[in-house]
Every structure is written in C-alpha cells, then in structure tokens.
C-alpha cells in the first residue's frame, strides 16, 4: 500500500534523515586502508546506541535473504554492490566500498547510501561513482508532483546509458515511512510518463546502482551479498526524499 505523509509527518521524519546522513558521513570518513568491515559495523552500532535509534537491518529477513541480516550496515566491496554482509575483511588501497545504512528515529525511517574509494582511486571506479551520483541528482530532479515514477526511472537510466552502463531493475528505490521498504518500487530504468503518479506527501528512497560491464548479479554463499556476475566493480548511492508542492526535500542530505 502506498501511503502519503502530511507536512507535519515529513517534518517528523527529518531527525531520522539527519541521523542517517551524519552516520554515513562518519562511516565514509572511517573507511580507510586497514579498517575491518566489522569495525565499520561496530561504529554504526555505537552511533545507533548513542542516538537512541533503532536499526532497520539487524532483524531484516525478506524473501530474498537467507536469514535475518544480523548487522546494522551493508558494506559492499569492489564487485559486491548491494546487501554486502560485513565480515572479517580489511580494506585495501584502491578498494571501492559502498555503505548502505537505514535507521528508525522516533518511529520514522530514513535510508541512504554512499560509495567511496579507499586510498588511490582507479579512474574507472571514480567514473562509475560519478555516474551513480549524477543519476541520483537526475532522479531527484524528476521527483516532482505531477510527474510519475517512470519519469524518475527514465532520468536515472538515461544517465547510465549515456555513460555506457547497462541497468538492472530487479532492485531499486522504494517507499519509506514507518518501515524501511514499502511501495512503490522505483526502478533505475523505465519509460517517462508511466507508473504511479507523484503526489505531495510521497516519501521514497531513490537509489541508483550500476556495474561496470554487466547488469547481472550473483549471490554470495553468505546468502545476502550481491556481486556482479562477471567480477566487475559496482557502485551504489541513495537518498530518501519527500515529494512536495515545490522542490523535492532530500531528507538524508549530507
């Protein structure tokens, strides 16, 4: 069911957006050569505890997950792009890591992701991240009352295709509110003018993610981490936004 939020409810969602944004900034700053993915998850745990927030991930067990996630942060490294389960791995020079974090504050959820390069960047990795970030900006710009979900999808896909990337539409953006994942689904490619009409009060996560040379995914033995089928690297960015009568409000702006 698609729910629309009142202006007062959107204001109540702002603290969750700020907390998620601040936490991702701290995690991105902490991601350095030699840092263990488990340490990044532990930092996210500590920030949740200090804020009195609640994790959206630790007990999360959708149909595609092998078991409850059990961590509070997704850490996807190099050829991993989504749902990366933190494990005993120390980041190396040149690693591309995507950090995806969602939390609930006072009963309202925000969800966001960022991709960073640890140490010396590869040109192709910086280009991939740049494409994801520009696609996110384009998707947000299309998230206006009177448009449709397809306008967001088409804007994201156009940026990807212009840079030579193919797009997987199995996983994408989604509704956000009292829970992390709700309707509507927001694919990262589509046809303008199609899909659910955007109305003031709709709160969604927009999350472009692309792989360098494929659009096919495989699942790790851990039952969660999604990797490129050909070993090429991936990047993922995301913001939670609210549709208004005017410009969209980016609740997780960093």
């Amino acid at each position: 069911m698609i729910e629309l939020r009142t202006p007062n409810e959107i204001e109540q969602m702002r603290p969750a957006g700020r907390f998620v944004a601040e936490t991702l900034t701290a995690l991105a700053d902490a991601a350095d050569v030699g840092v263990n993915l488990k340490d990044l998850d532990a930092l996210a745990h500590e920030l949740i505890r200090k804020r009195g927030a609640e994790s959206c991930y630790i007990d999360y067990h959708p149909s595609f997950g092998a078991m409850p996630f059990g961590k509070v942060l997704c850490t996807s490294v190099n050829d991993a792009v989504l749902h990366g389960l933190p494990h005993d791995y120390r980041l190396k020079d040149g690693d591309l890591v995507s950090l995806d974090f969602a939390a609930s504050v006072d009963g309202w959820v925000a969800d966001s992701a960022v991709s960073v390069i640890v140490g010396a960047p590869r040109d192709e990795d910086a280009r991939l991240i740049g494409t994801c970030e520009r696609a996110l900006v384009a998707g947000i710009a299309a998230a206006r009352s009177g448009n449709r979900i397809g306008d967001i999808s088409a804007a994201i896909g156009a940026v990807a295709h212009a840079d030579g990337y193919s797009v997987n539409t199995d996983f994408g953006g989604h509704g956000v509110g009292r829970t992390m994942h709700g309707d509507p689904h927001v694919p990262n490619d589509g046809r303008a003018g199609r899909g659910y009409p955007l109305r003031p009060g709709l709160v969604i996560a927009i999350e472009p993610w692309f792989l360098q040379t494929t659009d096919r995914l495989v699942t790790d033995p851990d039952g969660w981490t999604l990797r490129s089928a050909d070993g090429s690297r991936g990047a993922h960015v995301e913001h939670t936004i609210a549709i208004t009568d005017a410009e969209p409000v980016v609740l997780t702006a960093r």
Side-chain angles (χ1 to χ4, degrees):
M1 182 177 68
I2 297 174
E3 297 182 85
L4 301 180
R5 305 299 174 185
T6 66
N8 184 56
E9 286 176 325
I10 291 173
E11 286 300 309
Q12 292 173 21
M13 296 182 78
R14 286 184 183 273
R18 284 195 298 270
F19 171 67
V20 167
E22 291 166 358
T23 298
L24 271 182
T25 296
L27 291 167
D29 289 344
D32 203 353
V33 175
V35 173
N36 197 300
L37 298 182
K38 288 186 174 182
D39 293 334
L40 292 176
D41 185 67
L43 174 57
H45 263 284
E46 179 62 13
L47 294 172
I48 288 170
R49 186 193 64 79
K50 286 183 176 179
R51 179 61 178 81
E54 294 183 7
S55 170
C56 294
Y57 290 167
I58 197 162
D59 295 323
Y60 186 55
H61 190 188
S63 59
F64 58 80
M67 74 285 291
F69 191 72
K71 305 292 183 181
V72 301
L73 174 69
C74 291
T75 54
S76 303
V77 181
N78 296 334
D79 62 326
V81 67
L82 296 174
H83 309 159
L85 192 66
H87 59 284
D88 187 13
Y89 175 83
R90 293 191 179 277
L91 293 169
K92 300 174 183 177
D93 186 47
D95 278 347
L96 192 169
V97 57
S98 299
L99 305 169
D100 190 358
F101 180 73
S104 174
V105 175
D106 299 326
W108 294 105
V109 170
D111 189 4
S112 189
V114 63
S115 289
V116 297
I117 299 169
V118 177
R122 301 181 183 184
D123 289 345
E124 60 267 32
D125 293 344
R127 180 175 180 270
L128 179 64
I129 293 173
T131 299
C132 285
E133 291 174 342
R134 287 189 293 106
L136 179 59
V137 170
I140 292 171
R144 301 182 66 94
S145 180
N147 284 352
R148 291 178 176 268
I149 290 292
D151 294 302
I152 299 174
S153 301
I156 293 169
V159 174
H161 296 309
D163 283 1
Y165 300 112
S166 57
V167 182
N168 178 302
T169 56
D170 291 342
F171 296 93
H174 49 87
V176 180
R178 293 291 190 181
T179 60
M180 177 173 59
H181 285 155
D183 293 328
H185 175 57
V186 187
N188 286 325
D189 201 6
R191 296 180 63 181
R194 299 293 185 91
Y196 182 78
L198 305 179
R199 299 184 176 97
L202 181 66
V203 180
I204 55 175
I206 298 176
E207 51 178 313
W209 62 272
F210 309 131
L211 303 166
Q212 286 173 335
T213 57
T214 186
D215 59 11
R216 294 194 305 114
L217 295 169
V218 294
T219 306
D220 257 11
D222 66 18
W224 274 101
T225 304
L226 295 178
R227 298 184 183 275
S228 67
D230 65 357
S232 63
R233 293 187 171 195
H236 174 207
V237 296
E238 178 182 15
H239 273 312
T240 297
I241 68 133
I243 309 294
T244 73
D245 288 316
E247 297 290 329
V249 175
V250 181
L251 296 170
T252 50
R254 291 184 290 277

